[in-house]
């Protein structure tokens, strides 16, 4: 590993058009799981100027069975979508929660996919698709996440909270952040550059017909204060700031750029600090191992680091559609391990309560067949505080099992 280098991660806010789509898709997942814990959902969302389109495949008792919608189901889906956009805060001429056109193109799940996933009399339930999934943890931050992504998320979370509370009334929902840190060895020592682009009310800009330098100065001072509150002062030495570097950002969200589910998978995971298998999470029920196996590998990697078995850990797992068990499990502690890599792998596979990491065992152990997904769809699926049923893959309840398995 290089001893001195720069690394950068970005985040996007809940009002970013792709994140609007992710949140709608996961709101639909939650709606169906609240009706039927065994529901199958693959929901994609398109958002653009005054338009939201749903497409995908579903199976849900009491909502969609035998090719027929239950009475009132379509209306409930539309209201769920509009409530999601309202919560985010879109009441603009180009995208308004009450006024956008809504098109629902959800339909039944393919029987050929279903037969590979459903458990039969003589076999365990299979994975919902093939794929490779990765989990990662590092001791750079208290939540065992890469610091560049951790701080990028925290900046936008604070700005969103201030927008919703009215503390920062000049902010609009769409925003992006980017944090560059200088590392010495494996730990960050300075933030060299911070970029924040935020949609704003009319006039809080330096260019365009509504430009007002005094209002822009207010926005700039606010963003720098947020950064100072979020990032430790020791890292803010000689930091360069780029705040709305294009000069104006009044048109944003789906009106400014079309949004699609699943286009922010690096923001959703580790900010580029770890590999990604390629599959998105939002809009998918937990039989899809793109989602559930990515959650279990984060859980495993986090517990490995928390147990003191490594300071940094990447775990890969692989499945095939219809296959009940993983085809492979690979643990890489990046030469920071206190025991052999193979011993960590054996310890994980030997923990009985993990059930051999079958799709059903993963969902059972983490409690994934619940409506818990909309909160994951902005500010990252990982590095969050477990709260009740939310973010169970962030628990550290495997530490003692790993220590015991390794003597």
């Amino acid at each position: 590993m290089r001893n001195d280098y720069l690394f950068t991660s970005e985040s996007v806010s809940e009002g970013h058009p792709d994140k609007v789509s992710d949140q709608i898709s996961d709101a639909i997942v939650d709606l169906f799981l609240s009706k039927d814990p065994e529901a199958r959902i693959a929901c994609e969302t398109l958002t653009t100027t005054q338009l939201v389109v749903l497409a995908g495949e579903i199976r849900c008792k009491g909502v969609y069975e035998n090719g027929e919608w239950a009475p009132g189901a379509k209306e409930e889906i539309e209201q769920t979508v509009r409530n999601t956009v309202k919560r985010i805060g879109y009441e603009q001429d180009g995208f308004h929660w009450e006024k956008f056109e809504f098109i629902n193109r959800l339909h039944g799940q393919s029987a050929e996919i279903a037969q590979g996933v459903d458990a039969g009399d003589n076999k365990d339930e299979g994975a919902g698709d093939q794929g490779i999934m990765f989990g990662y943890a590092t001791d750079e931050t208290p939540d065992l996440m890469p610091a560049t992504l951790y701080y990028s998320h925290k900046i936008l979370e604070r700005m969103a909270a201030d927008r919703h509370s009215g503390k920062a009334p000049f902010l609009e929902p769409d925003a992006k952040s980017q944090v560059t840190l200088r590392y010495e060895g494996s730990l960050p020592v300075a933030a060299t550059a911070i970029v924040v682009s935020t949609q704003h009310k009319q006039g809080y800009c330096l260019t365009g017909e509504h430009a007002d330098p005094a209002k822009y100065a207010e926005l700039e001072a606010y963003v720098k204060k947020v950064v100072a509150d979020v990032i430790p002062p020791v890292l803010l030495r000689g930091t360069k700031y780029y705040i709305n570097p294009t000069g104006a950002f009044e048109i944003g969200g789906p009106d400014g750029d079309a949004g699609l589910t699943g286009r922010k998978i690096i923001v959703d995971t580790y900010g580029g600090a770890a590999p990604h298998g390629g599959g998105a999470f939002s809009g998918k029920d937990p039989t899809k191992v793109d989602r559930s196996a990515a959650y279990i590998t984060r859980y495993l990697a986090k517990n490995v680091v928390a147990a003191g078995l490594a300071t940094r850990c990447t775990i890969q797992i692989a499945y095939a559609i219809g296959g009940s068990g993983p085809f492979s499990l690979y643990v890489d502690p990046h030469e920071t391990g206190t025991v052999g890599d193979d011993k960590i792998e054996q310890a994980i596979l030997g923990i009985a309560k993990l059930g051999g990491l079958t799709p059903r065992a993963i969902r059972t152990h983490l409690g994934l067949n619940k409506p818990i997904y909309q909160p994951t769809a902005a500010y990252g699926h990982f590095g969050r505080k477990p709260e009740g049923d939310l973010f169970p893959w962030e628990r550290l309840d495997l530490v003692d099992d790993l220590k015991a398995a390794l003597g």
Side-chain angles (χ1 to χ4, degrees):
M1 175 182 288
R2 292 172 55 188
N3 289 326
D4 192 327
Y5 59 95
L6 300 178
F7 193 78
T8 303
S9 295
E10 70 158 349
S11 180
V12 298
S13 74
E14 65 201 56
H16 185 281
D18 294 329
K19 280 287 140 201
V20 174
S21 295
D22 283 345
Q23 289 165 92
I24 291 172
S25 290
D26 273 341
I28 298 303
V29 171
D30 284 354
L31 174 64
F32 289 163
L33 289 177
S34 72
K35 310 283 188 181
D36 175 10
E38 298 297 328
R40 302 287 188 260
I41 311 109
C43 176
E44 309 297 339
T45 302
L46 163 69
T47 57
T48 188
T49 303
Q50 292 295 41
L51 176 65
V52 174
V53 180
L54 301 187
E57 299 78 41
I58 60 169
R59 188 181 72 193
C60 183
K61 293 178 182 178
V63 177
Y64 188 91
E65 296 182 88
N66 301 317
E68 298 290 337
W69 289 100
K74 285 188 174 182
E75 291 77 10
E76 189 173 13
I77 289 169
E78 179 172 351
Q79 194 58 53
T80 297
V81 172
R82 293 192 185 279
N83 287 345
T84 301
V85 176
K86 181 181 181 180
R87 177 188 55 77
I88 294 168
Y90 275 110
E91 296 184 341
Q92 301 170 1
D93 290 341
F95 196 66
H96 193 294
W97 66 273
E98 282 187 306
K99 300 176 183 178
F100 61 73
E101 179 186 0
F102 176 69
I103 300 173
N104 178 0
R105 290 292 183 268
L106 296 172
H107 60 80
Q109 183 189 45
S110 162
E112 293 181 346
I113 292 177
Q115 71 183 359
V117 177
D118 295 339
D121 293 337
N122 300 312
K123 72 180 183 71
D124 194 5
E125 174 187 85
D129 203 350
Q130 72 177 47
I132 56 173
M133 281 61 62
F134 291 90
Y136 181 73
T138 172
D139 66 356
E140 293 175 30
T141 65
D143 290 333
L144 304 185
M145 288 290 287
T148 48
L149 182 64
Y150 178 83
Y151 294 129
S152 294
H153 284 326
K154 294 301 181 186
I155 290 168
L156 296 184
E157 286 182 282
R158 174 68 65 83
M159 291 171 63
D162 289 348
R163 176 174 60 84
H164 285 299
S165 71
K167 183 178 179 180
F170 44 82
L171 296 180
E172 294 284 11
D174 196 357
K176 301 179 78 170
S177 64
Q178 186 171 283
V179 174
T180 300
L181 298 179
R182 183 167 65 84
Y183 284 75
E184 290 182 358
S186 61
L187 295 176
V189 297
T192 61
I194 293 172
V195 183
V196 176
S197 297
T198 179
Q199 188 184 12
H200 54 80
K201 300 287 188 184
Q202 192 174 98
Y204 287 82
C205 51
L206 290 175
T207 62
E209 61 177 310
H210 304 127
D212 186 330
K215 286 184 175 180
Y216 172 79
E218 180 184 355
L219 184 148
E220 181 182 44
Y222 164 78
V223 171
K224 288 184 176 180
K225 177 64 166 58
V226 168
V227 171
D229 289 344
V230 166
I231 298 181
V234 69
L235 297 179
L236 298 175
R237 299 174 294 169
T239 304
K240 293 183 178 180
Y241 293 85
Y242 303 87
I243 299 171
N244 281 8
T246 62
F249 190 176
E250 292 182 0
I251 301 171
D255 187 33
D257 191 9
L260 291 170
T261 302
R263 286 205 299 196
K264 288 293 176 285
I265 58 176
I266 300 303
V267 170
D268 284 342
T269 53
Y270 307 104
H276 193 296
F281 304 153
S282 292
K284 298 176 181 178
D285 74 77
T287 66
K288 279 72 171 175
V289 286
D290 276 341
R291 180 163 225 160
S292 55
Y295 290 167
I296 200 73
T297 50
R298 162 63 179 175
Y299 172 70
L300 295 172
K302 186 175 182 181
N303 277 269
V304 165
V305 173
L309 303 178
T311 60
R312 189 160 67 102
C313 182
T314 299
I315 294 179
Q316 186 208 56
I317 199 166
Y319 293 86
I321 189 167
S324 62
F327 281 30
S328 64
L329 175 73
Y330 169 70
V331 176
D332 180 7
H334 303 277
E335 301 182 350
T336 70
T338 59
V339 299
D341 305 2
D342 59 330
K343 288 184 170 58
I344 299 176
E345 292 172 4
Q346 292 165 13
I348 290 170
L349 292 172
I351 296 174
K353 64 186 179 184
L354 294 178
L357 298 175
T358 68
R360 171 66 70 178
I362 292 171
R363 298 206 314 281
T364 299
H365 182 70
L366 294 180
L368 298 182
N369 280 63
K370 299 175 183 177
I372 59 174
Y373 296 105
Q374 186 170 324
T376 69
Y379 313 115
H381 292 245
F382 308 126
R384 313 287 287 272
K385 300 295 184 186
E387 179 182 341
D389 291 333
L390 297 179
F391 305 103
W393 48 89
E394 293 297 316
R395 298 192 309 245
L396 293 175
D397 56 5
L398 209 63
V399 167
D400 290 342
D401 298 272
L402 288 167
K403 289 180 177 179
L406 291 164

